[in-house]
């Protein structure tokens, strides 16, 4: 799941914690919620158990320190093997812009997984979004700001 829905989920969770209420998931697809919770758990922001959600200090800090969100996210993401491998893979592309499928296939090989090409492509897109958010993407792969007239 990309960064923006993760941020939204973390903010909703911490808001509910502070208000001592259940999390308001209105407007969030069930599949997005499930993916966000699973990813927040991988990032060590939350812990899930049947009927219980434990919010870790990383998630609270993330929600309550907007100016540090990117750094807090980066710190947790860089501990994940798939993300570490992806960032190493990106370092090979300082002058050329690879396709998502090429990135996904190389990552699949590095991780020795059996992803289909479509899964590898989606995972590459997600991890590239994370790398752009954290600043780990090489300059050639960073987002370019669009002008208002470019739409």
């Amino acid at each position: 799941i990309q960064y923006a829905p993760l941020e939204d989920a973390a903010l909703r969770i911490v808001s509910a914690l502070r208000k001592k209420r259940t999390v308001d998931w209105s407007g969030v697809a069930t599949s997005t919620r499930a993916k966000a919770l699973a990813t927040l758990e991988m990032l060590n922001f939350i812990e899930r158990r049947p009927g219980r959600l434990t919010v870790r200090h990383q998630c609270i800090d993330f929600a309550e320190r907007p100016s540090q969100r990117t750094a807090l996210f980066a710190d947790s993401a860089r501990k994940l093997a798939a993300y570490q491998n992806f960032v190493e893979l990106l370092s090979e592309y300082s002058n050329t812009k690879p396709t998502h499928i090429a990135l996904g296939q190389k990552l699949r090989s590095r991780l020795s997984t059996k992803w289909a090409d479509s899964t590898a492509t989606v995972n590459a897109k997600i991890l590239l979004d994370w790398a752009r958010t954290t600043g780990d993407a090489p300059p050639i792969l960073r987002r370019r700001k669009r002008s208002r007239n470019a739409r």
Side-chain angles (χ1 to χ4, degrees):
I1 188 165
Q2 295 197 352
Y3 174 81
L6 283 176
E7 180 181 61
D8 179 60
L11 297 178
R12 287 173 186 256
I13 290 166
V14 173
S15 175
L17 176 71
R18 294 293 181 228
K19 294 175 184 174
K20 297 183 187 213
R21 301 196 179 199
T22 58
V23 179
D24 176 8
W25 293 110
S26 59
V28 178
T30 304
S31 62
T32 301
R33 179 179 67 213
K35 291 173 194 173
L37 290 171
T39 305
L40 289 171
E41 189 169 35
M42 283 189 332
L43 293 168
N44 206 28
F45 279 30
I46 62 170
E47 180 182 348
R48 295 182 300 167
R49 296 197 181 198
R52 188 171 140 198
L53 180 75
T54 302
V55 182
R56 298 185 179 276
H57 72 87
Q58 293 94 320
C59 191
I60 295 169
D61 289 346
F62 178 83
E64 294 181 348
R65 298 179 180 172
S67 65
Q68 296 179 14
R69 279 188 193 144
T70 301
L72 293 167
F73 175 73
D75 183 53
S76 291
R78 289 176 185 142
K79 293 175 185 168
L80 301 176
Y83 184 74
Q84 289 172 2
N85 274 279
F86 189 75
V87 171
E88 289 172 12
L89 179 63
L90 289 180
S91 68
E92 297 174 13
Y93 295 97
S94 58
N95 297 318
T96 59
K97 200 171 184 181
T99 62
H100 292 121
I101 185 71
L103 287 171
Q105 289 171 336
K106 283 193 172 193
L107 182 62
R108 173 179 62 198
S109 175
R110 281 182 178 228
L111 298 175
S112 300
T113 65
K114 295 183 179 181
W115 296 332
D117 281 348
S118 58
T119 302
T121 301
V122 168
N123 288 339
K125 287 179 182 180
I126 290 167
L127 292 174
L128 183 56
D129 174 69
W130 288 18
R132 288 171 169 161
T133 299
T134 61
D136 289 336
I140 196 165
L141 293 173
R142 291 190 189 139
R143 286 188 185 101
R144 289 183 174 72
K145 293 183 180 179
R146 296 183 200 182
S147 69
R148 291 181 183 236
N149 297 331
R151 294 180 185 180

